[in-house]
Amino acid sequence: MSLTLPIIPTNRLMGVFAFGVVLLMPTIIYFAGHTALRRYPKLFNTLHWLFGIYLVYVIIAGVHTLLMG
């Protein structure tokens, strides 16, 4: 437990920053790619798969943290 204490956000601003990095930045990148890759169907579908896999990973990591932490 003591090994993880230095990386735990100590205030709300750090929590908001971590939330932004984990969820908001990939969403912004996704929507930018969504607009740019509409003309390329294979890359467009790959973007959807990658974003879906990322979201599943974040959800599993979050549930694991809540249950095991």
Side-chain angles (χ1 to χ4, degrees):
M1 179 77 169
S2 63
L3 293 176
T4 60
L5 286 178
I7 61 170
I8 294 174
T10 55
N11 58 25
R12 290 179 192 218
L13 186 58
M14 278 301 294
V16 170
F17 180 72
F19 177 78
V21 169
V22 169
L23 290 178
L24 295 179
M25 287 299 291
T27 304
I28 291 169
I29 293 169
Y30 170 78
F31 280 116
H34 201 272
T35 327
L37 296 176
R38 190 171 289 275
R39 287 184 254 160
Y40 307 102
K42 288 187 180 185
L43 290 174
F44 190 70
N45 287 338
T46 304
L47 176 71
H48 285 99
W49 277 103
L50 287 174
F51 191 69
I53 291 169
Y54 176 76
L55 284 180
V56 168
Y57 171 76
V58 167
I59 289 169
I60 290 172
V63 169
H64 180 268
T65 302
L66 287 174
L67 294 177
M68 301 300 177

